[in-house]
Amino acid sequence: MENRKESERFRSFGIGEIKQRNKMNLDIFWLKDESLEDLENLPSPKELMKEIRAGLNLVLKEMSQLEGELN
């Protein structure tokens, strides 16, 4: 952030200024994922792992194909 210049849309604040405001709450509740509202019906960790593994395998396959084309 040291390269960033203050502008109309950006102003840096020192930690002292932030502490004086008494508003040091860093909760990011506004980044709520709407798809996770029904916490009772989340996929199991095994299902999540299967989906992640499938995605990674697809990426590795595509990278191998690309590598073959480049050689």
Side-chain angles (χ1 to χ4, degrees):
M1 286 286 217
E2 55 196 48
N3 294 333
R4 192 158 184 186
K5 304 281 187 228
E6 286 195 19
S7 68
E8 188 176 311
R9 293 187 58 175
F10 172 77
R11 178 172 172 237
S12 66
F13 295 92
I15 191 71
E17 289 178 89
I18 295 170
K19 285 181 178 179
Q20 285 178 345
R21 293 179 186 187
N22 197 22
K23 293 183 180 181
M24 288 189 54
N25 186 344
L26 299 177
D27 287 342
I28 53 172
F29 66 91
W30 49 271
L31 288 176
K32 189 175 180 182
D33 186 344
E34 300 296 329
S35 69
L36 298 178
E37 281 190 16
D38 187 7
L39 298 177
E40 298 299 318
N41 294 317
L42 289 175
S44 71
K46 277 188 174 182
E47 270 306 307
L48 291 173
M49 184 62 78
K50 274 178 148 177
E51 289 178 27
I52 292 168
R53 186 181 305 270
L56 290 172
N57 284 334
L58 179 61
V59 168
L60 288 172
K61 181 180 176 183
E62 290 175 358
M63 293 298 292
S64 292
Q65 288 174 347
L66 180 60
E67 184 179 29
E69 290 174 16
L70 292 175
N71 289 331

